[in-house]
Amino acid sequence: MLKPVRIKFLISGLVAALAATFAVLAVHTGPAAAHGNVVGPASRNYGCFERWGSKFQDPAMQTEDPMCWQAWQANPNAMWNWNGLYREGVAGQHETAIPDGQLCSGGHAESGRYNAMDVAGDWKATSIGNSFTVSLFDGARHGADYIRVYVTRAGYNPVTTPLKWSDLQLIKTVPNTPAAQWTQQLSNGVQIDIPASVSGRSGRAMVYTIWQASHSDQSYYFCSDVNFGGTTQPSPSTSTPGSPSPSTPTSPSPSASVSTPPVNGSCAATHTVTSQWQGGYQGEVKVTAGSAAIKSWTVTLTYPGTPPIQQAWSATLTTNGNSAQATNASYNGSLAAGGNATFGFLASGSPVAPTLTCSAT
């Protein structure tokens, strides 16, 4: 029999552990309904949320995605609140308001919530060509007074060097654009796809985006790690998960999360629920090319009723009746035989498995 003092110690330790667990879980209340972020090429904090939001307690993050790991440990809210990185009252004086080395956190915005975004290191990089598209999601339909897209100059290495203003070269400016003119009109926001290009670039770099929202003097700042002409780094979500443990969230039931459509000659698509909270969930669709290479793809998601999708990324989405049609983005349409691409979305309500059909050219 354990002595009373030992029992007291075990109970107090258990209470402390449970309290810590609930404190972390309490952070995940679902993505906020307002503001926005660069979803392609994904910003640092949005990329971390996209890869790990459904398994934020998986210890594999520490070795497979160490930059997300350090950011998640510093402040989990930087990932759950991936669309809140902004400052007010800058009055266009971005270089004055934000010191060198703090560009990715918006000058330690939101009381330092996003400070870990400034840490130099081997962040997961999106592979892009010299012509690429920046996709900006606006959940509150603010629209833009302007949007500025920068690329770091040749020779800058985001793995070793925090970002400075002198590292940046402005390559694209989008003038005043009301939300009604953004390219995708979704039930929970809008998205604008901005074509951009550079010449003769290869290797690691960073795309830096400033979005000046129209509703007030509110400025958003996004760092997206890219690899010009390189190979896309594998996402942790495609790796084999380790043995489940009490600290690892359980996967949704197959009946609610996955549908396997019939395979046609050009491509096939599967649907997975990657995260769920009260009143909503995050889904992912994987598109796989058939026995021949394809140049583009379209996936139709057919639901029992009105499609619940509120926001999508890495695809252009349109709805009609009880179906939603997703067309590849500029950077993920071309697939080799047997190759695959994914797009994600946020939806309201409980998970629903749509019927999927895939066509390709």
Side-chain angles (χ1 to χ4, degrees):
M1 179 179 295
L2 294 172
K3 295 181 180 180
V5 66
R6 177 61 173 162
I7 294 174
K8 181 178 180 181
F9 173 80
L10 290 174
I11 292 174
S12 62
L14 178 60
V15 170
L18 289 173
T21 300
F22 290 140
V24 173
L25 291 175
V27 172
H28 185 201
T29 57
H35 310 311
N37 206 319
V38 169
V39 296
S43 69
R44 286 180 168 178
N45 66 322
Y46 182 76
C48 288
F49 171 81
E50 187 177 27
R51 292 189 295 274
W52 296 100
S54 62
K55 48 181 181 177
F56 63 95
Q57 292 174 302
D58 190 337
M61 189 195 324
Q62 186 171 10
T63 54
E64 295 180 11
D65 205 344
M67 297 312 296
C68 281
W69 172 264
Q70 64 86 27
W72 211 285
Q73 305 312 303
N75 193 326
N77 250 323
M79 264 56 71
W80 294 127
N81 192 1
W82 48 261
N83 50 16
L85 204 170
Y86 66 92
R87 295 178 65 92
E88 295 184 306
V90 173
Q93 302 301 307
H94 307 291
E95 296 187 30
T96 301
I98 300 177
D100 283 343
Q102 299 180 15
L103 275 67
C104 296
S105 68
H108 293 176
E110 297 294 297
S111 301
R113 176 188 295 162
Y114 302 96
N115 288 6
M117 302 300 107
D118 292 320
V119 178
D122 192 12
W123 293 83
K124 295 291 183 181
T126 302
S127 181
I128 61 175
N130 280 192
S131 294
F132 59 97
T133 300
V134 175
S135 297
L136 174 60
F137 170 71
D138 174 3
R141 301 179 187 272
H142 293 320
D145 284 346
Y146 57 83
I147 302 168
R148 296 175 183 169
V149 178
Y150 301 79
V151 170
T152 50
R153 301 179 189 278
Y156 169 77
N157 187 354
V159 176
T160 60
T161 310
L163 186 63
K164 304 187 299 295
W165 288 106
S166 60
D167 296 321
L168 296 173
Q169 176 182 2
L170 180 65
I171 63 167
K172 185 81 174 187
T173 299
V174 178
N176 183 277
T177 310
Q181 296 178 15
W182 287 38
T183 54
Q184 292 191 53
Q185 299 290 323
L186 306 170
S187 61
N188 195 37
V190 292
Q191 181 173 308
I192 187 169
D193 296 321
I194 306 166
S197 63
V198 294
S199 61
R201 294 298 300 273
S202 62
R204 291 292 294 267
M206 190 181 295
V207 175
Y208 188 65
T209 306
I210 299 176
W211 165 33
Q212 183 69 40
S214 292
H215 72 298
S216 64
D217 186 6
Q218 199 170 75
S219 309
Y220 295 76
Y221 305 93
F222 309 112
C223 283
S224 302
D225 291 271
V226 298
N227 190 18
F228 283 110
T231 302
T232 302
Q233 300 185 45
S235 166
S237 62
T238 63
S239 63
T240 303
S243 300
S245 67
S247 62
T248 303
T250 57
S251 300
S253 62
S255 62
S257 62
V258 179
S259 60
T260 303
V263 178
N264 58 33
S266 58
C267 63
T270 56
H271 167 271
T272 305
V273 173
T274 59
S275 184
Q276 184 178 354
W277 53 90
Q278 184 175 2
Y281 63 97
Q282 177 176 327
E284 181 180 270
V285 174
K286 180 178 180 180
V287 180
T288 303
S291 58
I294 60 175
K295 296 180 180 179
S296 64
W297 48 261
T298 298
V299 176
T300 301
L301 302 85
T302 303
Y303 291 88
T306 302
I309 299 175
Q310 298 179 329
Q311 170 196 347
W313 52 91
S314 298
T316 299
L317 194 78
T318 58
T319 59
N320 182 19
N322 67 334
S323 67
Q325 190 174 78
T327 304
N328 62 270
S330 60
Y331 52 85
N332 63 357
S334 179
L335 300 176
N340 59 72
T342 61
F343 67 89
F345 62 87
L346 299 181
S348 60
S350 299
V352 177
T355 300
L356 304 182
T357 57
C358 184
S359 60
T361 59

